Amino acid sequence: MAGKLVIFNHPLIHHKLALIRDENTGTKDFRQTVSEIGMLMAYEVTRDLPTKKIRIKTPVDYADAYTLATDVVIIPILRAGLGMVDAITSLIPTAKVGHVGVYRNEETLQPHEYYAKFPSNISSSKVLIVDPMLATGGSVAHTIKLLKDRGVTNISYVGLVGAPEGVKKIQAEHPDVDIYLAALDEKLNEKGYIVPGLGDCGDRLYGTK
Ligand code: PRP
Ligand code: URA
């Protein structure tokens, strides 16, 4: 059975998606809005994290309280995934951050890895892979495999815009991984871009085109 597929249906996320899809939105607003959507999504993505009960003393009495019972590691796929990291770490300040550098070969659309660095506690942690774009799914599938090779068992993927082709690939190759997307678009075009999508996310975040 495939993992959970969550497509967000929330007025604030729709509103912010409209902003980043608009070709007239400049780098500053694009970057800020990608981050804001990441923060809104993080709230829902972390809904099932386990908690442990503790007893604390308030100024008035004793109270049962609940704190996170698992370590959380965030793995942005460079470059575009970096645009969602600060938003999530601001909600989970104890989260550690690993990095995976993958770019797509523009002709073959195959992922090429150039960097990988993970925190030492990764195999026992809840891992959130973040990358705004799920196109062919090659970059995310490659990253999931890297993590599984290191013993990670609890992985979710969080992105902004996905194509059906990418969702299908992750569900087929990694049915244990939950997928969270702000929007599921129509298709890929002949160059492997998501239609209607938002263009090249890394270039729009960093002003490189
Ligand atoms: C983009 C995007 C994803 C990947 C998605 O990165 O940020 O990582 O493409 O495509 P896929 O699902 O077909 O693998 P890109 O390769 O442009 O690298 P960049 O972020 O460094 O620009
Ligand atoms: N990567 C992007 O940044 N945009 C797409 O549409 C596809 C892959």
Side-chain angles (χ1 to χ4, degrees):
M1 202 179 78
K4 191 157 62 172
L5 171 64
V6 178
I7 311 296
F8 283 74
N9 188 11
H10 188 288
L12 285 180
I13 291 185
H14 288 308
H15 184 88
K16 291 176 191 298
L17 269 174
L19 254 172
I20 57 171
R21 284 189 192 277
D22 188 333
E23 65 175 3
N24 293 314
T25 298
T27 303
K28 177 174 173 287
D29 289 336
F30 187 89
R31 199 181 286 157
Q32 181 178 330
T33 310
V34 164
S35 182
E36 288 170 356
I37 298 175
M39 189 179 293
L40 290 170
M41 291 178 75
Y43 182 77
E44 184 61 31
V45 167
T46 52
R47 180 177 292 283
D48 297 332
L49 288 184
T51 54
K52 59 173 182 270
K53 191 157 118 180
I54 58 168
R55 189 92 175 139
I56 52 169
K57 190 171 178 316
T58 77
V60 179
D61 200 350
Y62 287 90
D64 289 338
Y66 297 87
T67 58
L68 287 183
T70 184
D71 292 326
V72 176
V73 173
I74 302 160
I75 305 284
I77 301 179
L78 309 180
R79 292 173 299 167
L82 288 175
M84 298 170 73
V85 171
D86 287 353
I88 303 178
T89 53
S90 69
L91 286 184
I92 318 171
T94 52
K96 302 225 166 88
V97 181
H99 295 84
V100 171
V102 178
Y103 70 88
R104 292 198 308 178
N105 178 302
E106 284 181 10
E107 246 104 78
T108 64
L109 301 182
Q110 290 305 304
H112 286 270
E113 181 192 323
Y114 57 90
Y115 187 77
K117 180 96 178 166
F118 302 112
S120 54
N121 64 337
I122 194 158
S123 62
S124 57
S125 300
K126 168 72 192 182
V127 174
L128 301 176
I129 298 173
V130 296
D131 186 339
M133 310 306 282
L134 182 70
T136 65
S139 303
V140 171
H142 180 87
T143 303
I144 294 171
K145 170 115 188 8
L146 277 185
L147 293 169
K148 287 186 173 174
D149 288 348
R150 283 161 177 80
V152 183
T153 55
N154 195 347
I155 304 171
S156 294
Y157 161 68
V158 189
L160 300 189
V161 180
E165 293 87 336
V167 169
K168 220 181 265 177
K169 182 176 172 73
I170 304 304
Q171 288 182 330
E173 294 180 12
H174 300 287
D176 52 325
V177 172
D178 292 337
I179 300 172
Y180 295 86
L181 287 169
L184 181 59
D185 277 11
E186 198 187 319
K187 60 178 182 185
L188 296 179
N189 69 13
E190 64 291 347
K191 289 188 171 153
Y193 276 83
I194 300 172
V195 180
L198 49 76
D200 188 306
C201 195
D203 283 341
R204 295 195 67 190
L205 274 171
Y206 299 110
T208 41
K209 237 177 209 159

